[in-house]
Amino acid sequence: PNEIDPRFGHIPGARHADWNENFNDSGTFAAPAQLQSRFADLGIDTDTAVIAYCGSGVSACANLLGLRLSGHRNAKLYVGSWSAWGADLERPVETGT
């Protein structure tokens, strides 16, 4: 816990997809086929419904754009992200991987 988030963890069922892994060595987005392979390795194909979130809803947008560039058309942002979910002590939380 810290002054922003009263507890640590993640939304149950969530999978971690580091936003930095959408980029190639030159700092631009990877090619669509590479992005599609990256998300497929996470169990996300172009038909999988995705709701992306992060700590505050900002870095999740890099995953949303990466999904879009890979041909995915069914992804949305949970705007409240962890800051909203974790602040509601009635909501379930998972810890670990």
Side-chain angles (χ1 to χ4, degrees), residues 2 9 13 27 54-56 59 61 65 70 72 76-77 80 83:
N2 58 42
C54 56
S56 62
S59 58
C61 291
L65 183 52
S70 76
H72 198 286
K76 298 177 181 172
L77 175 66
S83 291

Side-chain angles (χ1 to χ4, degrees), residues 5 7-8 14 16 24 35 43 51-53 56 60 66-67 74-75 81 97:
D5 298 315
R7 58 187 174 156
F8 294 126
H16 179 72
N24 58 33
L35 291 166
I51 300 173
Y53 79 98
S56 62
L67 284 161
N74 192 13
S81 282
T97 56

Side-chain angles (χ1 to χ4, degrees), residues 27-71:
T28 60
F29 273 91
Q34 290 174 300
L35 291 166
Q36 195 171 48
S37 177
R38 164 184 151 59
F39 291 115
D41 288 346
L42 294 168
I44 301 168
D45 63 29
T46 55
D47 296 323
T48 305
V50 173
I51 300 173
Y53 79 98
C54 56
S56 62
V58 177
S59 58
C61 291
N63 278 328
L64 291 172
L65 183 52
L67 284 161
R68 183 73 176 192
L69 292 171
S70 76

Side-chain angles (χ1 to χ4, degrees), residues 1-37:
N2 58 42
E3 50 195 53
I4 296 172
D5 298 315
R7 58 187 174 156
F8 294 126
H10 58 85
I11 296 171
R15 285 178 264 167
H16 179 72
D18 189 330
W19 65 275
N20 287 305
E21 294 178 21
N22 292 306
F23 302 99
N24 58 33
D25 291 339
S26 67
T28 60
F29 273 91
Q34 290 174 300
L35 291 166
Q36 195 171 48
S37 177

